[in-house]
Amino acid sequence: ADATMFSATGFVGRDVDDVVAQLVDAAGGDETAAAFGVVHVDEIDKVAERPGGLLGGGGSVNTRDVQTSLLKLMEDAELPLPQSPGNRRGAANATSRGKTFSTKHVLFVFSGAFEGLPAARSVDAFGAACPNRLVEAGLIREFVGRVPVRCALDPLSIDDLVAILDADADVSPMNQWRDTFAAHGIDLSWERGALEVVALRAHAHGLGARSLLAELDVVFRDLAFTLPGAYDGALHVDAELVENPGAALLRLMSDADTARASSGSA
């Protein structure tokens, strides 16, 4: 789940209790399995109160209320089992009406950027921020106290970014681009040297894996708009293409024109 989607009761947004329905849905409706599941809530720093409060421009009506609502989930609670978040406007779900769900054995994992905390980390083996620092960052003490295990993650390295690009998974940005080109009869392939150049550029932004998408857009934007319908061969991505995609596009279009001319004369 994403903490930025939650809101206080009475305001537009999702209820914190929705994560229970999401957990049961992820378990295929198996409530017994869901009771031993894992809930990951990202962007938890976005519901932290900022210095000055709401009037000082540092918080919102949702910060403390959302944290307080999350406390209920972490307190071995017996909660009414809600419907799936996307089905709340429909008729009541007879199978879940009156049922409760225990969060006693559910593992809650929270993550967030917490800009400004790295310099204030404690010196323990995990490099984790001490509780007082998290409270100063805007988390309420009750919330911090219910998260006993804390650790800090190192920023993604260039090798990490290359691994993300080269991952054999549907969410890999390169695989997504391969599917895009494949829809137009273009066979996209690449070599590691090209991925290293993209990763190096993305790493310089200091924005994590998100910057990979922007860098790949720079490489493929003109190719994706120009090649479909005009070129249906192989597109191999090397370091030279990443450095100068415009020159590669001109070369490919020239090859396509030559092939069409040869075909016409035959």
Side-chain angles (χ1 to χ4, degrees):
D2 188 328
T4 59
M5 302 174 67
F6 299 138
S7 65
T9 302
F11 291 87
V12 175
R14 288 175 48 189
D15 293 334
V16 169
D17 289 355
D18 283 346
V19 298
V20 172
Q22 285 184 293
L23 182 60
V24 175
D25 287 345
D30 188 339
E31 297 170 24
T32 302
F36 294 88
V38 179
V39 172
H40 176 212
V41 180
D42 195 12
E43 306 282 7
I44 195 63
D45 56 310
K46 304 305 186 296
V47 296
E49 293 184 305
R50 300 296 189 268
L54 179 60
L55 296 180
S60 74
V61 294
N62 292 328
T63 53
R64 177 175 289 270
D65 287 340
V66 170
Q67 291 184 54
T68 302
S69 296
L70 287 169
L71 288 178
K72 181 176 64 175
L73 298 184
M74 294 188 285
E75 291 176 339
D76 301 346
E78 290 283 345
L79 303 174
L81 186 62
Q83 299 180 57
S84 173
N87 193 36
R88 293 222 168 170
R89 294 184 182 275
N93 188 342
T95 62
S96 63
R97 186 184 303 162
K99 287 188 175 183
T100 60
F101 182 88
S102 173
T103 61
K104 180 176 182 179
H105 299 294
V106 175
L107 175 63
F108 288 91
V109 179
F110 300 94
S111 60
F114 289 101
E115 293 294 336
L117 273 186
R121 290 178 185 170
S122 62
V123 293
D124 63 19
F126 298 100
C130 63
N132 285 340
R133 295 295 186 181
L134 293 173
V135 172
E136 292 172 4
L139 295 181
I140 60 177
R141 291 187 180 275
E142 296 86 345
F143 185 91
V144 175
R146 285 169 176 77
V147 185
V149 179
R150 296 173 292 274
C151 64
L153 302 180
D154 293 327
L156 293 174
S157 66
I158 295 175
D159 288 339
D160 293 331
L161 296 176
V162 171
I164 292 172
L165 290 172
D166 204 28
D168 185 18
D170 293 338
V171 296
S172 168
M174 290 301 295
N175 286 338
Q176 293 174 8
W177 276 108
R178 180 171 58 190
D179 293 342
T180 297
F181 282 105
H184 300 283
I186 301 172
D187 182 21
L188 180 68
S189 61
W190 54 85
E191 56 188 52
R192 183 177 176 85
L195 303 185
E196 290 175 347
V197 175
V198 173
L200 182 63
R201 290 178 175 177
H203 187 265
H205 297 305
L207 301 176
R210 293 181 179 89
S211 54
L212 290 173
L213 299 176
E215 289 300 325
L216 289 175
D217 184 69
V218 172
V219 174
F220 291 125
R221 183 189 306 131
D222 292 340
L223 294 167
F225 278 102
T226 306
L227 293 181
Y231 178 83
D232 58 0
L235 175 58
H236 182 69
V237 182
D238 55 17
E240 182 181 357
L241 185 148
V242 173
E243 296 286 1
N244 194 347
L249 175 59
L250 292 176
R251 183 174 64 254
L252 291 171
M253 293 303 296
S254 177
D255 292 344
D257 292 339
T258 300
R260 283 193 294 269
S262 298
S263 176
S265 61

